[in-house]
Amino acid sequence: MDYAACAASSNAYYHCGADSFVFSPNSGLSFSLGEYGGDPEGWNSGGHLTETGKLSYDYRITPYNTVEHHLLWNENTVLSMVSASAVSPVPEAPAWAMLAAGLGTVGLWRRRPAA
């Protein structure tokens, strides 16, 4: 299985995301995405690039070696897209319990007579 994972944000030395992403019922899915970057001095770099119907390319470059992997698409290639973080729109029971305990503690503290 092959993955492309992104850090929190892109900057001058790191890019991650979809460069193009198009879907239509007539032509299907077409995309180009990846993550790549390097240090400011240019000693180390690497990335992972994927294009629909073409290839997936992974590389790492250091002063001591270079590693490259090319995975070509064919008629048996399967694409699965998954979100890495599931966000619950409603707080779960432990979150409600902590909120209630905190509000109860503040209420008891406020009710206490001043010394």
Side-chain angles (χ1 to χ4, degrees):
M1 208 176 261
D2 197 17
Y3 295 95
C6 293
S9 62
S10 294
N11 58 43
Y13 303 105
Y14 175 75
H15 168 78
C16 192
D19 297 317
S20 68
F21 194 94
V22 178
F23 176 78
S24 73
N26 297 332
S27 61
L29 178 64
S30 173
F31 67 87
S32 173
L33 59 88
E35 57 90 18
Y36 49 88
D39 62 5
E41 293 82 22
W43 289 98
N44 298 291
S45 65
H48 187 105
L49 308 170
T50 304
E51 287 189 40
T52 321
K54 294 182 183 176
L55 61 92
S56 180
Y57 174 62
D58 184 57
Y59 67 96
R60 299 283 171 242
I61 299 171
T62 69
Y64 308 106
N65 69 352
T66 299
V67 178
E68 297 182 48
H69 296 102
H70 299 264
L71 304 172
L72 300 178
W73 288 66
N74 63 35
E75 64 277 356
N76 296 321
T77 302
V78 176
L79 171 67
S80 297
M81 299 177 73
V82 193
S83 174
S85 62
V87 178
S88 175
V90 178
E92 295 183 14
W96 286 110
M98 287 191 325
L99 176 63
L103 290 174
T105 302
V106 169
L108 289 173
W109 175 74
R110 296 283 298 172
R111 190 169 184 206
R112 188 181 81 200

